[in-house]
Amino acid sequence: MGREIISIQAGQAGNQIGAQFWQKLCAEHGISPNGDLEDWAAEGGQGDRKDVFFYQADDEHFIPRAILVDLEPRVINNILSSPFKGLYNPENIYVSKTGGGAGNNWAQGYSAGEKVYDDLMEMIDREADGSDSLEGFNLIHSIAGGTGSGLGSFLLERLNDRFPKKLIQTYSVFPGGADVVVQPYNSLLAMKRLVNNADSVVVLENAALARIAADRLHIQDPSFVQTNQLVSTVMAASTQTLRYPSYMNNDLVGIIASLIPTPRCHFLMTSYTPFTGEEIDKAKSIRKTTTLDVMRRLLQPKNRMVSTTSTKSSCYISCLNIISGDVDPTDVHKSLLRIRERQLATFIPWGPASIQVALTKRRTAGNRVSGVMLANHTSMASLFKRMLDQYDRLRKRNAFLEGYKKEDMFANGLEEFDDARRVVAELADEYLACESADYVDYGT
Amino acid sequence: MVHPDLLQQASLLVQQIGPDLDVESFSQHVVREIADPSRGASRKEWSDIEGPLRGIINTLRIKVQDDVADALEKALSTLQSRRLTDSSAWEGEMAIKMGNLPDHIHFLLSLAQPPTSKTTRIARSYLDKASPSGPTADEVLYQVIMSGPFTGAHWGRGYEQEATHGWTDSESSSSESDADLVTPSTDRISRTADLETLLRGRLIQDQEDRLREAQRSLASFKEKYYWINMGQSFEPLSAHTHGWRSLATRSTTAQLEAAISKSSRIPRKVISSLALQRELLFALDGRPGILFFFDEDGACQILSGHPLVAHMSSAALSSIVDHFANQATIGSRIRRFVAGTASSSAFSSRKASQTSKTHQAFADALQEILTSYAEWIGGNEIGLLRGVKVDEDRSTPAASPMSLKLDLDRHFGTLLSRLDSLLPKPGDPPTDLLNDIYTTILSLPASAAELSEALTRVFIMSAEPMWSMLCSWLSEGMPIPSGLRYHDDTRVSLTDEKPLDKEFCIERDRDISWTDEDFWANGYVTGSGGWPLFLGERTEEMILEAGKARGLLQSFDNAPLKEDWQTLFQVLNTSGDRLLASTVPDLIFDHLSPTCRLTMFQLRRALEEDCGLDAHLDAIESLCFMQNHQVMSEWMSELFQRIGSKRQWTDFQTLSSSIREIIDQHGGTLMNPSALRIQAKKARNTTEKVFDTMRHVRAIYDVPFPLSQVLTPTSMELRSETFSVLLQLHYASHVLAESRKQDAVFISHARTTIDIRSIWQLRQQLNWVIGIFLSWLSRDVIESRTEQYRREITAITSIKGMIDLELRFARLVHRLSLLHPDVEALRAQLSSILELTTTLGKVYSQYMNDTSVASTFQPERQPFAPSKKASNTRRERHFEGDPLSDDEESDQEAELIEGDSSFLLAEDFGARLKFMKNQLGTTIAGMIDTVRSLAEGPDRAPQSAEDDAREQWAMLSMYLDEWHRFQSEPTPRVQAL
């Protein structure tokens, strides 16, 4: 009984983050870069479930349930020349034969997906068939560029059609600056698929990641590697209850059920503390931690990996803290009591909600206690509003649309943009509506 | 040491290589190089071998594996002795004695593995192996030679040495038949024999003459014996006796009294004071005389008409005689008790088996005092006759009856009176006797030091049998039946344990069998006579525990405690100072507590190392409290899918075999799969409500003996009921999570967004409250309390303490799992909420069924379209291995509708939802009130499980309070971040 999760990493960011994620998982489970189990891990008794993210080949090597997809070969070639080159199943790596990439164009990526559909589905089907009881998919991608955004969107739609009963969770990197001028278009179009086709979206915003690197880790100019390490750390931490089962939240559906009461509002923000030098290269932040310290810091906006603007009425729809390490259960209760006394977290008015805490016994490196927060917060609406604002600014001037019009989807009109805008606007409105006690009556 | 051949070979080699070289120095260099251990030579010095072996022996001793340590020491000493026999022969040139070689090898081979109970057995047999006995070959040959019949010529008739006069003074040797004896030397001695016969004849004649004279003298003495004539007759007072002078010098008190009273009943015979004194001593010694006799009961009676004492009035005489008669009675009673009880008496072997050992020991102690008493009487008697002091230790013999009385009172009177009052009846419990003696000693005033000392000695001697039994109890432990001692033998029994001594203060309750869970507490208990006072109250539990622990250790092939047990006398006289009776319990406690603690530590270690206490606890917690999240989550996932697909799930295969298979996949021995099973207590059919059935599901773990004494069936039952609650909560959580899979279909069927959000709101509320209960029970109750329990049980060495802790813990968790009758209301409220989760699923299905049949209403606005789940392609395929296929799900939905409750059929969707929300709200509000009252509880320090649970109830109360915030604050609150 596996409840396996297949990870699909698409595009440059997706593959770079994915590579870091697998490195971290290998380190935690004691799997060497070539898939062998380390001696200390082979002794057993870890209480981990490697089979959620790995499977064992005939020669007992552990292989990630990962599919690496990119339309240009550079990042995947880097992975294949790294020490972890032997980790992945070569049959699960797809690099476009033309190698031109998607040119930071969502439409190119999406249309490329249609062309490579059979190849990709063959990989996905094979992995799915190799699972005892597939629980769902993880899509790791960025929504600003071409491949992760466009091809990722295509995959979301197709996965949904092909595996309607399986959960789809994404780790989506949202743009933070203006690296790509068409990122408002790409983001909006990808957002429509994230809203309609994903069950849960973990939002990771580049600007917030850079802020955390600068403020919390004192790295003024973080490299991609360092940023990706931040993301992979959060990914690893947020999947800990799946890999190291606890008394609750041992499966994806359980986590989603507790975090996402209304299916549409499924965009989750994350916080992680404390980051250490072992997790992030050259980071200088090691401090004494207690359960209360960790839980308090997780609620601080400056630790969130997405930059949202809270209003007076912003509130949590749900909040799950996954605490790892040497935690006394009574400390959790005391911390929750303190947080409640100081009103550090406000919840929706239309239902009872509170901070849920899951404990995992796995000790994290360096610190006694570490934690990750997965939260559903109404301030996420501000992110969508900002996205719409950026889109509207470009769209008013019909700027940079040439690249899209070349593709079949937009050849006959730009209705798809309008539809995507409507979906995102409705989502933002629904998030705002969640702040009201009359949410049940919203939309009538 | 270098082998001489090696040096020789090296010299030859050097000569061959270079004849011009310095042969001697080069040869030695070669030998040094060869022997150098750094170049791979295998040679080792004896100290290099002996050191590690000694270290192993020390380690074994620390681990109390004395048998193995002794055996290894024996092997080492054997090796050492062979080495020391002839150092030059160390290289194996000595002849090997083959007799014991297999034993050496067998033992040494057994040491190749880590020591087990088998190693201990081998070591023990190796230690006990006696050297070959029986006659040597020469002796056998001698016996063969000598066993043949005598065939040689006889040298004639033999003679007795005693036949030669003067060799012995034995009178019997001078029989007439001796003269007929013919010996080789008869001729040589015949002449001297004749002379001696003549001389001896004269000697005998002289002796006979002297004897006749003596007999004549004795006969004349006897005529004057007062005891023959019952005293001496005295004449009445002469009529011419006048004046005080005549009265004082010419009359006796008896004469005066006879003259005054004129009574004819006054005896007319008198004895002297000396005779009286002698009679008194006789009486004290238990012999009748002319004043006293002893009746059948041993009571000393005064003979009527006994003579007077010449210079003593009859009143004075009566007083003295009465006093001594009383003392003589006491002495007689004590003597009779001793004679009837003492183990040392000649014909007491049969009686000894019937008489209590403690009584016998008491009698022996009394005998010692009686001996001393008799010596004192004898001393006085001799002193009386001779008028001299015979014993250096004693004072001058009593000169008069009064001084004799004073002397008696001072030395033995009080002691004998006390002892007389302590004499037990034959059936009296030995503990009573010991308690009586001990309390008598305690009640003595501080001034009675001598008496206290004597009684203490009696007490110690009397308590020695009980002490011996106690030592035996502590060294051998409670007797265990063969069924526990010989695990492999099928003929063994659980009822054939050796009985304890009947008079021991601990006894076996035969109503309790070894398989009973209260065996540890009630199998062996303090006897009906109670706990001996001298052992002290605080030793009772300790000694009971230690003996039980030692007995249990025997079932692990653990040898009896080898200890040089001291006698009670040695224990109580360690300091050499005078012993205070009040300090006896403390001295005994101080003496026994290290031994008892050691035994309990050994058992604790045996429970951990041999019985795997921690491993079993891990397995039990993994199962009953679902602490092995990995296995249990997989098992539940399979189970819930089976329930969801309406398949049979209460059978053994689904419940037990499946979990064993999962454990096998995760490493086999993880949770001791062979010992666990999950079963529904009552066979249920699938049409019944799932939660009703789950209430009867139990996780059962077969705890092996002797751990079953700690982890009793009661505590295991309590734990297994908690399993049922956890299972229900997880199932409810699963049902709510799985309902999300119907969301897309639901959206596509929804008539209004209000319908959609209302049902999501209800689901969110259910999710919240079930999540609260699940996390509270799992984290704040089970995880938190289990950690505390494991810490505490690690620190406890007493099995009784462990049993108490285990039961307290199991009851606490049971109570907090809402299973105690006191919290039945809360349990009913939770059950109601759990049922709502399934009702919610039915409402979903019913709603979709209604809308799909009607299909008349299209929502004006469909913010949720297009639905990913509504796509036709969703049914194109499903995976192999996905147990819940779409078809099954449809069947499930259909069946849910069929099984709808009446209110679902009767009401419309909105009304149903409103009803459910109201029900949920009312239930949660009621729960909050109940939990709050439990958290507040009685205002006192925690004394029971009920009080102990208050902290956890307070936590739950805090978590549930969130409901009030939601209920009381409909408007958005200010973000505090």
Side-chain angles (χ1 to χ4, degrees):
Chain A
M1 197 68 196
R3 293 205 293 262
E4 300 89 347
I5 294 170
I6 297 171
S7 298
I8 302 170
Q9 43 202 60
Q12 178 186 333
N15 278 298
Q16 283 175 338
I17 294 168
Q20 295 286 343
F21 173 63
W22 291 113
Q23 282 185 32
K24 198 161 282 293
L25 257 55
C26 284
E28 287 187 9
H29 291 289
I31 297 169
S32 70
N34 58 2
D36 292 328
L37 205 56
E38 305 279 4
D39 290 342
W40 62 266
E43 286 169 8
Q46 286 190 86
D48 61 344
R49 290 187 56 216
K50 300 180 190 69
D51 57 336
V52 175
F53 285 97
F54 293 89
Y55 61 92
Q56 276 187 287
D58 294 342
D59 59 359
E60 303 284 302
H61 284 203
F62 282 91
I63 297 171
R65 297 180 193 277
I67 294 168
L68 287 66
V69 183
D70 206 349
L71 296 177
E72 54 103 14
R74 186 173 53 86
V75 176
I76 288 182
N77 281 348
N78 282 344
I79 292 172
L80 293 179
S81 59
S82 74
F84 285 81
K85 61 186 175 188
L87 184 68
Y88 304 95
N89 181 357
E91 293 179 331
N92 285 0
I93 297 172
Y94 179 84
V95 182
S96 171
K97 294 185 180 75
T98 56
N104 284 329
N105 186 314
W106 182 92
Q108 275 189 42
Y110 189 89
S111 60
E114 288 177 336
K115 291 169 194 159
V116 301
Y117 173 75
D118 291 336
D119 291 338
L120 294 182
M121 277 304 153
E122 191 268 332
M123 292 178 193
I124 293 168
D125 282 347
R126 191 180 59 247
E127 282 297 318
D129 290 341
S131 306
D132 285 338
S133 175
L134 183 69
E135 178 153 43
F137 298 91
N138 256 352
L139 176 66
I140 308 163
H141 68 138
S142 155
I143 64 167
T147 306
S149 179
L151 182 59
S153 297
F154 175 80
L155 281 172
L156 282 174
E157 287 178 354
R158 293 299 180 272
L159 283 174
N160 217 1
D161 279 350
R162 200 167 181 81
F163 305 101
K165 294 172 75 66
K166 305 302 170 192
L167 296 169
I168 299 175
Q169 184 175 40
T170 73
Y171 286 89
S172 304
V173 179
F174 279 49
D179 297 336
V180 181
V181 291
V182 290
Q183 74 183 23
Y185 293 143
N186 294 338
S187 302
L188 197 76
L189 292 165
M191 268 297 292
K192 178 187 166 186
R193 276 75 192 177
L194 290 176
V195 172
N196 289 334
N197 299 111
D199 292 285
S200 162
V201 175
V202 178
V203 180
L204 301 152
E205 195 200 17
N206 262 333
L209 294 172
R211 186 197 71 230
I212 288 170
D215 295 349
R216 315 301 293 171
L217 305 176
H218 311 293
I219 306 168
Q220 291 307 322
D221 189 15
S223 65
F224 270 130
V225 173
Q226 287 167 326
T227 312
N228 292 338
Q229 281 172 340
L230 284 175
V231 177
S232 63
T233 302
V234 171
M235 285 179 69
S238 63
T239 56
Q240 264 195 358
T241 54
L242 309 178
R243 295 180 290 117
Y244 297 89
S246 177
Y247 47 86
M248 283 177 78
N249 307 113
N250 293 334
D251 49 11
L252 198 54
V253 69
I255 294 176
I256 289 175
S258 62
L259 283 171
I260 302 167
T262 60
R264 205 173 169 79
C265 297
H266 59 245
F267 289 81
L268 306 176
M269 60 172 60
T270 59
S271 295
Y272 182 88
T273 187
F275 284 108
T276 66
E278 292 187 22
E279 285 152 350
I280 312 299
D281 293 344
K282 298 177 184 173
K284 294 178 183 174
S285 177
I286 297 178
R287 66 190 74 192
K288 183 175 178 294
T289 53
T290 63
T291 308
L292 177 60
D293 279 339
V294 167
M295 289 177 65
R296 191 172 45 78
R297 284 191 199 127
L298 288 177
L299 292 171
Q300 290 172 347
K302 60 186 176 186
N303 283 324
R304 291 180 192 160
M305 297 205 167
V306 56
S307 300
T308 57
T309 308
S310 291
T311 63
K312 288 181 179 179
S313 56
S314 298
C315 57
Y316 286 96
I317 298 171
S318 60
C319 180
L320 169 66
N321 287 352
I322 299 172
I323 310 289
S324 305
D326 185 15
V327 182
D328 185 344
T330 53
D331 287 346
V332 174
H333 170 74
K334 288 174 189 166
S335 306
L336 287 171
L337 194 61
R338 184 70 66 84
I339 287 168
R340 205 173 93 161
E341 283 168 0
R342 296 179 61 183
Q343 296 189 331
L344 293 179
T346 313
F347 287 92
I348 45 168
W350 49 273
S354 46
I355 297 173
Q356 305 164 60
V357 181
L359 300 179
T360 59
K361 289 292 177 192
R362 199 192 143 272
R363 188 166 181 167
T364 49
N367 290 92
R368 193 172 71 84
V369 181
S370 67
V372 66
M373 179 190 75
L374 290 168
N376 201 346
H377 199 270
T378 58
S379 67
M380 198 64 88
S382 66
L383 181 72
F384 306 138
K385 291 280 187 193
R386 194 162 68 229
M387 195 178 280
L388 288 171
D389 178 61
Q390 288 174 348
Y391 165 78
D392 289 343
R393 285 167 195 255
L394 284 183
R395 187 77 169 84
K396 268 184 195 168
R397 291 173 170 78
N398 283 326
F400 315 123
L401 288 171
E402 296 78 14
Y404 297 89
K405 289 177 182 172
K406 289 177 191 168
E407 302 300 327
D408 292 344
M409 183 183 274
F410 298 96
N412 299 323
L414 301 174
E415 290 81 10
E416 182 60 28
F417 278 111
D418 299 334
D419 191 44
R421 192 195 181 288
R422 181 183 58 80
V423 168
V424 175
E426 283 174 358
L427 176 69
D429 290 345
E430 182 146 11
Y431 260 109
L432 289 173
C434 282
E435 296 174 356
S436 161
D438 304 327
Y439 171 66
V440 175
D441 301 326
Y442 167 71
T444 55
Chain B
M1 179 170 290
V2 177
H3 197 284
D5 285 349
L6 185 60
L7 194 60
Q8 193 180 351
Q9 297 284 343
S11 303
L12 289 171
L13 185 67
V14 171
Q15 282 172 359
Q16 290 292 326
I17 293 169
D20 301 327
L21 295 172
D22 182 356
V23 176
E24 189 179 351
S25 64
F26 269 91
S27 312
Q28 285 177 352
H29 178 72
V30 167
V31 168
R32 270 200 309 277
E33 287 296 306
I34 290 170
D36 188 353
S38 64
R39 284 171 172 76
S42 60
R43 176 186 169 81
K44 284 197 171 182
E45 291 301 322
W46 170 245
S47 59
D48 294 337
I49 295 166
E50 189 186 18
L53 286 174
R54 292 277 174 209
I56 291 170
I57 290 168
N58 289 336
T59 309
L60 287 167
R61 293 224 183 275
I62 291 164
K63 290 181 175 178
V64 204
Q65 292 176 334
D66 288 334
D67 284 333
V68 184
D70 289 343
L72 191 55
E73 201 153 41
K74 179 182 171 184
L76 188 62
S77 64
T78 306
L79 201 60
Q80 175 81 337
S81 66
R82 289 185 63 78
R83 179 174 169 272
L84 295 174
T85 304
D86 183 358
S87 58
S88 63
W90 176 240
E91 299 294 337
E93 292 168 10
M94 278 182 66
I96 295 172
K97 189 178 177 184
M98 295 296 290
N100 290 330
L101 198 58
D103 294 311
H104 291 309
I105 291 170
H106 192 200
F107 170 63
L108 292 171
L109 279 176
S110 75
L111 287 178
Q113 303 292 332
T116 61
S117 56
K118 190 181 171 188
T119 315
T120 310
R121 279 199 299 276
I122 292 168
R124 209 173 291 148
S125 69
Y126 176 73
L127 273 175
D128 295 337
K129 179 78 176 176
S131 57
S133 59
T136 62
D138 289 344
E139 286 169 341
V140 171
L141 178 61
Y142 175 80
Q143 285 170 2
V144 169
I145 292 167
M146 297 309 290
S147 62
F150 178 72
T151 53
H154 201 280
W155 57 81
R157 192 177 173 187
Y159 66 98
E160 298 288 341
Q161 280 188 330
E162 280 74 8
T164 307
H165 297 286
W167 281 28
T168 175
D169 52 4
S170 168
E171 291 179 7
S172 62
S173 61
S174 57
S175 61
E176 288 181 9
S177 61
D178 288 352
D180 300 332
L181 292 175
V182 178
T183 68
S185 57
T186 301
D187 294 342
R188 186 171 59 80
I189 65 171
S190 59
R191 287 186 298 278
T192 49
D194 292 342
L195 181 61
E196 283 184 2
T197 304
L198 183 64
L199 291 173
R200 201 161 65 86
R202 288 179 187 168
L203 186 65
I204 288 169
Q205 185 61 44
D206 291 345
Q207 283 176 349
E208 284 175 353
D209 291 345
R210 281 198 294 274
L211 183 61
R212 275 194 293 275
E213 180 60 29
Q215 283 172 345
R216 274 197 300 276
S217 303
L218 187 61
S220 65
F221 275 128
K222 277 184 178 176
E223 289 172 2
K224 298 174 185 171
Y225 287 170
Y226 73 87
W227 58 87
I228 290 175
N229 302 317
M230 295 296 283
Q232 198 175 359
S233 299
F234 64 91
E235 293 300 321
L237 192 64
S238 169
H240 303 290
T241 306
H242 299 291
W244 65 269
R245 188 170 179 177
S246 299
L247 284 173
T249 56
R250 295 181 188 173
S251 67
T252 61
T253 310
Q255 284 175 318
L256 280 174
E257 195 168 344
I260 294 166
S261 70
K262 305 288 187 188
S263 170
S264 59
R265 288 192 301 172
I266 292 178
R268 294 293 173 184
K269 287 192 175 180
V270 292
I271 55 172
S272 65
S273 290
L274 215 57
L276 171 64
Q277 203 167 331
R278 186 165 176 272
E279 283 299 311
L280 294 177
L281 288 170
F282 266 43
L284 292 178
D285 204 25
R287 287 178 280 173
I290 61 168
L291 288 175
F292 304 100
F293 75 98
F294 289 87
D295 63 13
E296 289 178 350
D297 297 332
C300 182
Q301 305 288 353
I302 302 165
L303 277 166
S304 60
H306 62 78
L308 297 173
V309 176
H311 298 288
M312 200 173 280
S313 70
S314 58
L317 179 63
S318 173
S319 168
I320 290 175
V321 166
D322 284 349
H323 181 79
F324 275 88
N326 191 29
Q327 288 296 332
T329 301
I330 289 171
S332 170
R333 273 206 296 266
I334 293 172
R335 276 190 211 96
R336 283 170 74 93
F337 172 78
V338 170
T341 313
S343 57
S344 56
S345 64
F347 52 91
S348 65
S349 58
R350 187 172 56 82
K351 281 185 178 175
S353 61
Q354 299 168 353
T355 312
S356 146
K357 289 175 187 168
T358 305
H359 289 186
Q360 286 178 17
F362 180 57
D364 289 343
L366 294 180
Q367 180 62 53
E368 216 176 68
I369 289 173
L370 285 177
T371 305
S372 172
Y373 184 45
E375 282 174 5
W376 175 80
I377 293 168
N380 271 288
E381 197 173 346
I382 293 169
L384 190 69
L385 295 174
R386 294 183 181 171
V388 294
K389 189 168 132 183
V390 291
D391 191 346
E392 291 297 323
D393 295 337
R394 297 205 176 277
S395 57
T396 309
S400 67
M402 282 309 293
S403 66
L404 180 68
K405 177 178 176 294
L406 289 172
D407 210 14
L408 171 67
D409 289 347
R410 189 166 65 244
H411 287 114
F412 291 99
T414 320
L415 175 62
L416 291 177
S417 297
R418 295 280 189 176
L419 290 176
D420 179 50
S421 67
L422 293 170
L423 290 181
K425 293 186 179 64
D428 285 354
T431 312
D432 285 359
L433 172 64
L434 296 176
N435 289 347
D436 287 347
I437 305 174
Y438 185 64
T439 47
T440 302
I441 298 168
L442 289 177
S443 66
L444 292 175
S447 57
E450 201 174 335
L451 177 63
S452 173
E453 199 173 329
L455 280 176
T456 302
R457 181 165 171 75
V458 170
F459 164 71
I460 291 173
M461 286 183 72
S462 306
E464 286 291 359
M466 184 66 81
W467 177 256
S468 169
M469 290 172 215
L470 193 67
C471 294
S472 172
W473 167 260
L474 290 176
S475 62
E476 294 172 16
M478 64 177 169
I480 60 170
S482 55
L484 299 177
R485 197 184 293 269
Y486 310 109
H487 306 281
D488 303 332
D489 195 338
T490 54
R491 293 166 298 175
V492 295
S493 149
L494 281 177
T495 56
D496 60 350
E497 72 250 30
K498 190 178 75 177
L500 283 174
D501 200 308
K502 283 180 182 171
E503 64 180 288
F504 187 36
C505 56
I506 295 169
E507 65 182 22
R508 173 81 165 92
D509 185 347
R510 287 286 169 189
D511 293 337
I512 310 283
S513 88
W514 280 84
T515 51
D516 289 344
E517 68 175 78
D518 59 341
F519 177 80
W520 188 267
N522 299 326
Y524 284 90
V525 291
T526 304
S528 54
W531 191 250
L533 291 175
F534 75 96
L535 293 175
E537 283 180 7
R538 58 179 175 155
T539 58
E540 181 175 3
E541 201 59 51
M542 182 181 77
I543 289 169
L544 274 168
E545 275 274 305
K548 290 173 185 178
R550 176 57 55 192
L552 209 53
L553 281 168
Q554 306 272 352
S555 67
F556 305 135
D557 296 335
N558 211 313
L561 191 61
K562 287 179 182 174
E563 186 163 314
D564 187 16
W565 290 99
Q566 294 181 326
T567 62
L568 185 60
F569 182 81
Q570 289 168 326
V571 171
L572 300 180
N573 287 281
T574 47
S575 64
D577 299 335
R578 185 169 156 265
L579 176 68
L580 290 173
S582 56
T583 62
V584 169
D586 292 337
L587 287 170
I588 289 174
F589 180 82
D590 292 345
H591 179 74
L592 292 181
S593 56
T595 308
C596 294
R597 276 206 300 271
L598 172 69
T599 303
M600 287 190 275
F601 271 124
Q602 282 180 333
L603 180 61
R604 184 71 175 76
R605 193 168 53 191
L607 288 178
E608 279 177 10
E609 294 177 1
D610 296 350
C611 304
L613 173 65
D614 284 339
H616 282 292
L617 275 175
D618 286 344
I620 290 164
E621 283 157 11
S622 297
L623 178 70
C624 297
F625 295 160
M626 299 193 177
Q627 289 290 285
N628 190 322
H629 308 296
Q630 191 179 4
V631 169
M632 296 313 295
S633 64
E634 284 186 33
W635 175 76
M636 281 190 289
S637 188
E638 273 188 21
L639 178 72
F640 296 160
Q641 283 197 3
R642 202 172 179 87
I643 294 170
S645 60
K646 287 285 173 183
R647 284 182 284 171
Q648 179 70 31
W649 62 273
T650 55
D651 55 303
F652 182 82
Q653 171 65 27
T654 306
L655 292 174
S656 291
S657 302
S658 57
I659 195 169
R660 289 178 186 167
E661 285 167 14
I662 291 168
I663 293 168
D664 278 343
Q665 290 164 14
H666 286 285
T669 57
L670 193 63
M671 282 167 60
N672 193 14
S674 59
L676 64 86
R677 63 184 191 281
I678 298 171
Q679 65 182 41
K681 280 179 76 177
K682 295 177 185 173
R684 299 270 163 169
N685 58 50
T686 52
T687 58
E688 285 189 35
K689 288 180 178 177
V690 175
F691 288 111
D692 283 347
T693 311
M694 279 186 177
R695 274 180 210 116
H696 296 93
V697 173
R698 296 286 181 272
I700 298 161
Y701 188 89
D702 292 328
V703 184
F705 186 86
L707 289 180
S708 54
Q709 292 294 315
V710 177
L711 305 166
T712 58
T714 302
S715 77
M716 294 307 294
E717 175 64 21
L718 293 172
R719 284 172 182 254
S720 89
E721 287 183 31
T722 298
F723 170 85
S724 165
V725 174
L726 284 170
L727 187 65
Q728 291 173 60
L729 285 169
H730 277 288
Y731 180 66
S733 180
H734 166 84
V735 167
L736 290 173
E738 286 294 311
S739 72
R740 296 183 56 83
K741 291 183 177 174
Q742 297 182 37
D743 278 354
V745 183
F746 183 68
I747 291 166
S748 69
H749 285 71
R751 285 182 292 232
T752 67
T753 54
I754 295 179
D755 291 349
I756 297 167
R757 292 202 175 91
S758 293
I759 206 160
W760 287 342
Q761 187 189 29
L762 180 62
R763 185 172 65 190
Q764 190 265 350
Q765 292 172 1
L766 283 170
N767 220 355
W768 172 80
V769 71
I770 287 168
I772 292 272
F773 265 95
L774 193 50
S775 61
W776 170 75
L777 185 58
S778 302
R779 182 186 64 219
D780 296 317
V781 174
I782 291 175
E783 205 162 302
S784 172
R785 287 293 183 166
T786 302
E787 273 188 22
Q788 187 183 346
Y789 163 74
R790 294 296 286 270
R791 273 198 308 273
E792 288 176 5
I793 205 164
T794 306
I796 293 178
T797 52
S798 151
I799 301 296
K800 185 173 182 301
M802 290 168 76
I803 294 168
D804 292 344
L805 176 67
E806 162 63 22
L807 270 176
R808 200 166 64 243
F809 168 69
R811 283 183 182 136
L812 177 67
V813 175
H814 186 257
R815 173 181 289 273
L816 289 167
S817 304
L818 317 185
L819 291 163
H820 194 274
D822 289 355
V823 288
E824 200 170 359
L826 197 56
R827 186 181 170 190
Q829 286 159 340
L830 180 65
S831 297
S832 164
I833 289 172
L834 294 175
E835 290 296 346
L836 276 177
T837 59
T838 47
T839 311
L840 183 74
K842 290 174 186 175
V843 169
Y844 249 68
S845 305
Q846 176 74 15
Y847 181 85
M848 287 186 283
N849 192 42
D850 289 350
T851 52
S852 61
V853 170
S855 207
T856 54
F857 182 82
Q858 292 297 319
E860 291 176 4
R861 188 181 176 199
Q862 287 230 359
F864 308 104
S867 164
K868 61 161 185 166
K869 308 293 181 187
S871 169
N872 291 332
T873 54
R874 69 196 298 275
R875 298 188 186 278
E876 282 178 12
R877 68 186 290 276
H878 63 83
F879 289 110
E880 289 180 11
D882 181 1
L884 188 60
S885 67
D886 293 337
D887 293 340
E888 286 170 347
E889 194 175 75
S890 301
D891 293 344
Q892 182 186 346
E893 289 165 8
E895 285 187 34
L896 280 170
I897 294 163
E898 282 170 19
D900 263 344
S901 58
S902 57
F903 96 90
L904 287 172
L905 293 171
E907 305 287 342
D908 66 0
F909 179 75
R912 284 174 211 152
L913 225 52
K914 191 177 177 185
F915 176 85
M916 288 172 71
K917 277 185 182 176
N918 287 340
Q919 189 183 353
L920 180 64
T922 312
T923 309
I924 292 177
M927 280 178 119
I928 290 170
D929 291 342
T930 312
V931 172
R932 194 172 288 163
S933 65
L934 286 168
E936 287 165 359
D939 186 19
R940 63 180 183 223
Q943 293 170 346
S944 61
E946 189 184 345
D947 298 340
D948 212 17
R950 277 192 298 174
E951 186 186 346
Q952 266 68 32
W953 293 129
M955 288 181 183
L956 181 60
S957 176
M958 188 207 98
Y959 298 144
L960 289 173
D961 270 350
E962 185 66 25
W963 181 264
H964 284 317
R965 178 203 60 79
F966 148 67
Q967 291 285 312
S968 61
E969 294 181 25
T971 51
R973 292 181 58 181
V974 176
Q975 172 78 326
L977 296 175

